[in-house]
Structures are given as structure tokens and as C-alpha cells.
Amino acid sequence: MAQSMSFFFLIALLAFAPICFSFKSNNGGYLYPQYYYKSCPKAQEIVKSVVAKVVAKEARMAASLLRLHFHDCFVKGCDASLLLDSSRGIITEKRSNPNRNSARGFEVIDEIKSALEKECPQTVSCADILALAARDSTVLAGGPNWEVPLGRRDSRGASLSGSNNDIPAPNNTFNTILTKFKRQGLDLVDLVALSGSHTIGNSRCTSFRQRLYNQSGNSKPDSTLDQSYAAQLRNRCPKSGGDQNLFFLDFVSPTKFDNSYFKNLLASKGLLNSDQVLTTKSQASLALVKQYAENNALFFDHFAKSMVKMGNISPLTGSRGEIRKTCRKINSS
């Protein structure tokens, strides 16, 4: 009887104990959601409150913060290198082709970091702030929630060349995009699921102009783009000029995180070449697009898992890197 009662209490304790999952990154370090529970228990609450405030003021910021995390992780891993301004020995990644005149939300990260420094100085990394802000932005836009593995540290350098070469570009071929994902340890499912982030946000005319006028160097529009949709786009995206004019990546529900992006692709109404090739250049990716278009819950599940996987790209852990005092510059020696 005593043994059975002891077993009962053990089971009860396990049932109510916090679940501590850890995630091994692709460089051997471990990240886990409870990383700041003791050192900065209000960390996630602070990030969420600032993100909620700015997204309520400007819905577009949700997509911008999500994009920052992508563009950080694809260059040297998820280490906040993107946030560094140019200084002695550092050339900022903000000057790269994928980021120049388009990456935004840096002031939001600054506000979060400032609040966290007041609460628990030099404890929460800028890299973890990016990961948390991306998750919170997704949730606020109506997308899935997930536990964010934490414990990343911040890099002491940046890579302009890496930013120019490693981030998938709007006019890349399908094979080039898939190769860039595979270099990061991501697969086809991750590529298609994470492309679904284009269900929110905007893109500039300069990012898709060639599809409207000169897709293959023959002065003809992209034949895989719905022509009525193309005609609408040409109204505000002329052959020259208007480079910075903004267009919804998902014109059906541009501020709502859902699977309409995939439905648009099946209707040949993907805005970017890098979107539409998911249906035209690979039967395997087309099959995934169809599944996500039919099953929003499946898309949400795959997206959340792929975000965790992407967030595990080569983080700095342990004694590597640092915890910056401000996200735009490395700490003084």
C-alpha cells in the first residue's frame, strides 16, 4: 500500500511539474524555453507587451519583425548579427541587397532591449529577442503559437557578404532557394512552410518588376503569373520608377496570418517569383502547397516546427559570443 501511494504521488508530481524541453542546435549547443525563468522571469512578458503595442499601432510591423529573425538566422546563424551598425571592424548587414531600404523594426528591438536592460541588465540576448518577437508577431497576426527555445548569445561581428549571398532572393530559381535552405540544415517542408510567412507583409515594386515586363530577358511578362492580376500590379509598378511602392504579399488577407497565401499560389497569384516557383518548378513543393491550402491547421503545425528548427541554426551558446548591452553595437572591451 505504501509503495502504491508513493507511486501515485510520484505520478502526481510529474503531472504538475514544468516540462523542460531542450533543443540541440546544429552546432551542438542546447537551447530551452525555460532559459530565463530564474535570471529574468519577466523577459517573455516584456517582449510580448512591446510587440503588442507596436503591432496595434502598425499591423505591418508584425511581418517586419518576423522577417528580421529570418534574415538574421540565414547569415552566420541566429546571433543578432543583423542588428549591428557599422563601426570599427564591422560593416553592417543592413547595407546588403536583401536588407537595404526594406529591413525595418530595429527601433522596436531597441525598445525591447532597453526595457529588458532595466529589468535584468545584460541577461537577455538580442538574438533571443529576435526569436521571441518573431513568435509574438505571428501570434498577434492570428498565426500559431510555439515555445521558443532560448539561450542564444550575440555575435561580435557581421557578414555583409553572407547577407548578400545566403538569404534567398525574390528572383532566385527554385533550385537556388532550396540549396540556400539546405545549407542551413532546412529541407523542402521547411522551405514551403516558412514561405507561408508571406501571408502577411508587403514587398516593393523593385522586387517583382521583372515578372511584369521582362521575366526571361525577352521583354515579356511571366507566363506563370495570372494576367489580370499582373495588369493590376502594373498600375502601380511601372517599367521604371516607383521602386519603393509597396504591395501586399497576400492581397486576400494581408494582415492576417492564414493559409490564403497558398490559395493565391494555386490561382497563379503569388507576388514574388520565389513564391510562385513553389507551384511551377517542383511537384513535391506543389503537393505541400495544395496540402496547406486545404488544411490551415497542418500549415500552422509545420510552420511552428520549422520556426523552431530555423531558430536553432548555429546559435552561439555557453561562453561563445556575448550579451550585448545595446543591440546595435558590441560591448566595449
Side-chain angles (χ1 to χ4, degrees):
M1 180 66 177
Q3 285 183 331
S4 63
M5 286 296 290
S6 296
F7 178 75
F8 171 79
F9 283 121
L10 175 62
I11 295 299
L13 284 171
L14 289 173
F16 289 99
I19 301 173
C20 295
F21 295 110
S22 66
F23 299 80
K24 190 173 184 180
S25 67
N26 59 9
N27 71 349
Y30 281 93
L31 306 175
Y32 54 98
Q34 298 81 10
Y35 187 82
Y36 296 111
Y37 272 21
K38 290 185 178 180
S39 60
C40 192
K42 292 184 179 179
Q44 295 201 42
E45 177 187 329
I46 289 170
V47 175
K48 187 178 296 184
S49 65
V50 175
V51 173
K53 181 187 71 174
V54 298
V55 171
K57 187 177 179 180
E58 183 193 4
R60 180 189 170 199
M61 189 56 72
S64 298
L65 293 173
L66 180 54
R67 186 171 184 257
L68 284 183
H69 186 41
F70 274 85
H71 283 213
D72 178 50
C73 288
F74 267 74
V75 183
K76 302 192 326 92
C78 307
D79 61 1
S81 62
L82 171 58
L83 303 179
L84 289 171
D85 289 336
S86 291
S87 61
R88 184 176 299 178
I90 294 174
I91 301 175
T92 181
E93 293 171 16
K94 298 172 186 178
R95 292 182 184 174
S96 72
N97 292 327
N99 295 325
R100 188 174 59 251
N101 298 323
S102 64
R104 59 196 299 273
F106 299 109
E107 70 287 350
V108 179
I109 303 301
D110 291 340
E111 183 177 349
I112 295 170
K113 181 61 172 172
S114 178
L116 286 169
E117 285 299 301
K118 290 177 182 176
E119 178 70 22
C120 34
Q122 275 193 272
T123 302
V124 182
S125 69
C126 300
D128 278 346
I129 291 172
L130 284 172
L132 288 168
R135 187 273 310 275
D136 294 340
S137 294
T138 300
V139 173
L140 286 164
N145 196 359
W146 63 90
E147 280 199 299
V148 179
L150 300 165
R152 301 166 189 81
R153 288 167 66 84
D154 301 323
S155 69
R156 295 190 179 97
S159 176
L160 179 62
S161 62
S163 189
N164 276 320
N165 296 321
D166 296 338
I167 297 172
N171 60 351
N172 279 164
T173 66
F174 174 82
N175 286 334
T176 298
I177 297 168
L178 183 57
T179 296
K180 289 182 177 181
F181 268 73
K182 286 183 175 179
R183 279 185 202 149
Q184 307 295 348
L186 303 175
D187 58 25
L188 180 68
V189 173
D190 301 315
L191 165 57
V192 180
L194 293 175
S195 293
S197 64
H198 285 178
T199 184
I200 56 175
N202 299 265
S203 183
R204 298 172 298 155
C205 166
T206 187
S207 296
F208 62 88
R209 175 184 280 119
Q210 86 285 348
R211 299 192 72 203
L212 304 179
Y213 303 102
N214 190 27
Q215 174 70 357
S216 303
N218 57 3
S219 298
K220 293 183 179 179
D222 186 348
S223 61
T224 68
L225 179 63
D226 178 88
Q227 293 308 299
S228 63
Y229 180 47
Q232 294 175 33
L233 296 173
R234 279 192 287 266
N235 287 333
R236 291 185 52 245
C237 186
K239 281 188 177 181
S240 62
D243 285 6
Q244 305 304 315
N245 289 351
L246 294 175
F247 294 77
F248 294 130
L249 285 161
D250 168 9
F251 66 91
V252 174
S253 53
T255 61
K256 183 180 180 183
F257 199 101
D258 58 20
N259 65 341
S260 60
Y261 162 82
F262 297 104
K263 297 176 182 178
N264 294 340
L265 296 187
L266 295 177
S268 299
K269 294 180 179 179
L271 183 64
L272 305 178
N273 182 73
S274 56
D275 294 324
Q276 201 61 60
V277 293
L278 297 180
T279 65
T280 61
K281 300 300 181 181
S282 165
Q283 288 299 312
S285 65
L286 173 60
L288 284 166
V289 169
K290 288 179 177 178
Q291 289 179 54
Y292 297 157
E294 294 170 1
N295 190 335
N296 193 65
L298 179 67
F299 164 48
F300 276 21
D301 178 59
H302 285 191
F303 183 84
K305 289 175 180 175
S306 292
M307 284 296 290
V308 171
K309 191 174 174 182
M310 185 190 75
N312 285 348
I313 297 173
S314 303
L316 300 173
T317 57
S319 61
R320 300 166 67 228
E322 64 181 17
I323 305 298
R324 293 185 207 142
K325 295 177 183 177
T326 63
C327 291
R328 293 177 184 250
K329 63 181 182 179
I330 61 174
N331 297 336
S332 301
S333 304

